[in-house]
Amino acid sequence: MRSDTRFTIFAAAFGVALLALGFVWLVEGAVSSPGVAVALGAGLAAIAAFVTASALAVRYRNRAQAIVDIGRRYALGDLSRPGPDYGDDDLGMAARALDGAVHEQERRITSLARDRARMQAILGSMVEGVLVVDEGGRLQLVNEAARLMLRIESDAVGRPYVEALRHPGVVEHVGRLLTGGAPQAFEFSTTRDASRELVARLAPVAGTGRGVVVVLHDVTDLKRADQIRRDFVANVSHELRTPLTAIRGYAEALVDDSDDPEARRRFLEIIQRHATRMERLVKDLLRLAMLDAGKEALETAPADIGALVQGIVEDMSAAAAAKHLRVTTAAGPDTRGVVVDAAKVHDIVRNLVENAINYTQPGGDVAIVAAAEGAMLVITVSDNGPGIPPEDVSRVFERFYRVDKSRGRPGGTGLGLAIVKHLADLHGGAVTVENRALGGAAFTVRLPVAPRPALT
Ligand code: ADP
């Protein structure tokens, strides 16, 4: 039974008991007349009712005050402590219902705040820029990427998009969509950095059909990759066309002028040279394609780098002698038995030595030095040729890049250094080039080597 009902029944019973007491006094003759008995009983009942009502009022006031205090605490956002025992009368039930509603709201707010924080974290970690303009034309949301791409100020949220988004193209497209235009996408470059190319996709905010969401993609790298691919195809076509044109021209000359044996021999030699060049080009292209596709595996075994370098120098001795070049080699004792992929190291060094011999003027010097430095095998191929102009140093490892088109060696494919770089990368190493103080280029390859097997 509820406490206020209990209290009312108790008070009524108490009043009836006092009236009954007046009646008993009347019967026992303690009072002289029924009127006095009733008056006495009613008086006592009235006093008891007053005392009871006062006690109830004080109790109600205290509880109401406690409920007001809790309400104030909740209003300040402190819902850490649960409400007290409100009691089971009407006041208690009303307070409990309100308390429950407040806690339910708090649960919803916490859940919304969690969702919002999660959304902010997702938007913040996106590489794409996202911004939302509401139907009133104010910037409602902008993530970090969009802020950086369009140089949007940190306090721009809430401001009219015309002010907040500084790019005229973006402003124009947002305006068009806000006034009922169709979803669209367009390309543009930022005012801050014209070399960066962006694509903006605009659409109405899903569900509501009002407001605009803009997603920005940075397509600079994609475009660059596409350009590299196009240049590559153009380069390959050009490199193949040159020897092909020569082969066809000399073949036609052979057909037309087949009487002079000396001319025939010369034409055939030229045809042979160009065919060899085409063969080298196709071979290098296929090798690059294999390396690109990760189809060349590393096969490591202990190798003698001194002997490997010596073998290359012997192979190239005729070319070096033809230009009267001095070729010197030095290999530290630690380079014997290093664990590398010897075939790939051979290709790296051969390419570099071939270049050094080709680009150094007659009578010049070429030096190959190999040393083990800690866990690295370091091989330097240097010459005293023309060196690499500083502006080209970062580009010589690109496919078909030649410092001076007219200086490109006749048998070269323009792919040698690109292959060298790929092979060094495959080893987990690197190749670099620098110009020597006394003139000439120095190419250095650093390759990590596996621990040498214990000698038995
Ligand atoms: P190529 O077949 O033309 O030699 P590479 O990829 O081997 O192609 O070299 C790229 C370019 O780097 C060359 O065309 C040349 O301009 C430059 N180069 C390479 N090695 C040297 C060197 N030792 N000295 C001067 N320039 C060099």
Side-chain angles (χ1 to χ4, degrees):
M1 195 186 299
R2 284 160 40 175
S3 63
D4 51 350
T5 315
R6 264 198 323 267
F7 206 83
T8 310
I9 293 171
F10 172 75
F14 192 61
V16 170
L18 288 174
L19 280 173
L21 185 66
F23 183 69
V24 169
W25 284 339
L26 178 68
V27 171
E28 286 182 355
V31 289
S32 51
S33 72
V36 176
V38 169
L40 264 174
L44 283 173
I47 292 168
F50 176 74
V51 171
T52 308
S54 302
L56 264 178
V58 170
R59 195 165 159 252
Y60 257 71
R61 206 176 49 239
N62 288 345
R63 288 175 58 212
Q65 187 57 49
I67 291 166
V68 168
D69 290 346
I70 290 163
R72 286 202 180 118
R73 176 156 68 78
Y74 286 176
L76 291 172
D78 179 8
L79 279 85
S80 53
R81 284 168 286 145
D85 178 10
Y86 292 111
D88 53 5
D89 56 2
D90 290 341
L91 182 65
M93 285 199 308
R96 209 170 15 255
L98 285 173
D99 194 281
V102 170
H103 277 94
E104 182 53 34
Q105 286 306 320
E106 199 253 346
R107 257 193 303 281
R108 285 189 194 161
I109 289 168
T110 310
S111 153
L112 279 175
R114 225 186 354 250
D115 287 351
R116 196 182 159 84
R118 195 179 308 134
M119 193 186 77
Q120 297 272 3
I122 292 169
L123 285 173
S125 57
M126 279 172 71
V127 279
E128 285 85 11
V130 178
L131 58 92
V132 177
V133 176
D134 67 17
E135 67 228 64
R138 290 186 180 274
L139 190 62
Q140 198 175 31
L141 179 152
V142 54
N143 74 347
E144 191 56 24
R147 213 185 283 285
L148 291 173
M149 286 177 189
L150 295 182
R151 278 176 70 206
I152 299 173
E153 283 166 11
S154 51
D155 60 351
V157 170
R159 298 223 307 258
Y161 74 95
V162 188
E163 251 176 54
L165 311 177
R166 297 181 176 180
H167 195 280
V170 181
V171 167
E172 188 194 320
H173 281 80
V174 170
R176 234 181 267 166
L177 212 72
L178 276 177
T179 50
Q184 50 199 291
F186 71 103
E187 267 184 40
F188 65 103
S189 52
T190 59
T191 34
R192 178 178 50 134
D193 180 359
S195 66
R196 301 225 65 85
E197 297 199 54
L198 305 178
V199 169
R201 288 180 207 287
L202 294 92
V205 175
T208 65
R210 322 211 91 176
V212 176
V213 59
V214 183
V215 180
L216 302 160
H217 305 265
D218 189 332
V219 290
T220 316
D221 292 343
L222 273 179
K223 291 228 151 196
R224 213 168 273 162
D226 193 44
Q227 189 57 45
I228 289 172
R229 189 187 56 76
R230 272 189 246 195
D231 289 350
F232 182 71
V233 172
N235 276 322
V236 171
S237 314
H238 174 78
E239 296 286 333
L240 285 172
R241 206 175 48 218
T242 313
L244 261 179
T245 311
I247 289 171
R248 207 190 61 195
Y250 284 101
E252 280 170 7
L254 264 181
V255 173
D256 294 345
D257 182 12
S258 52
D259 297 341
D260 179 357
E262 178 53 28
R264 280 174 64 89
R265 199 183 54 78
R266 206 159 36 85
F267 292 170
L268 283 170
E269 264 175 23
I270 296 172
I271 289 173
Q272 191 183 33
R273 204 171 60 238
H274 283 292
T276 309
R277 184 175 168 194
M278 279 181 73
E279 194 187 1
R280 278 192 66 169
L281 183 68
V282 172
K283 213 172 96 211
D284 280 0
L285 282 170
L286 284 175
R287 180 131 207 223
L288 269 177
M290 295 283 278
L291 286 163
D292 267 344
K295 285 192 179 152
E296 266 203 48
L298 209 57
E299 287 165 20
T300 55
D304 183 346
I305 302 300
L308 182 147
V309 168
Q310 207 49 49
I312 292 170
V313 172
E314 276 160 25
D315 284 352
M316 310 279 315
S317 59
K323 289 179 81 176
H324 308 290
L325 298 172
R326 275 177 302 277
V327 181
T328 55
T329 62
D334 285 357
T335 61
R336 197 174 178 165
V338 287
V339 180
V340 287
D341 185 326
K344 291 187 177 62
V345 173
H346 178 277
D347 292 349
I348 291 175
V349 178
R350 191 184 161 107
N351 257 301
L352 296 178
V353 173
E354 224 173 345
N355 276 350
I357 290 176
N358 275 298
Y359 293 107
T360 304
Q361 298 89 341
D365 294 300
V366 173
I368 307 143
V369 179
E373 291 179 10
M376 298 296 249
L377 169 65
V378 182
I379 304 174
T380 303
V381 178
S382 53
D383 59 55
N384 59 357
I388 314 269
E391 64 274 18
D392 294 309
V393 163
S394 62
R395 301 202 57 190
V396 283
F397 296 101
E398 287 176 20
R399 291 157 200 213
F400 294 117
Y401 192 82
R402 291 188 173 108
V403 169
D404 179 355
K405 305 283 179 258
S406 58
R407 214 170 71 182
R409 62 192 163 103
T413 61
L415 297 173
L417 288 181
I419 293 175
V420 167
K421 184 177 178 327
H422 259 292
L423 293 174
D425 288 349
L426 190 63
H427 265 93
V431 55
T432 51
V433 60
E434 56 183 37
N435 286 307
R436 300 168 66 217
L438 295 172
F443 286 83
T444 304
V445 191
R446 289 187 174 78
L447 305 176
V449 287
R452 209 177 300 257
L455 294 172
T456 49

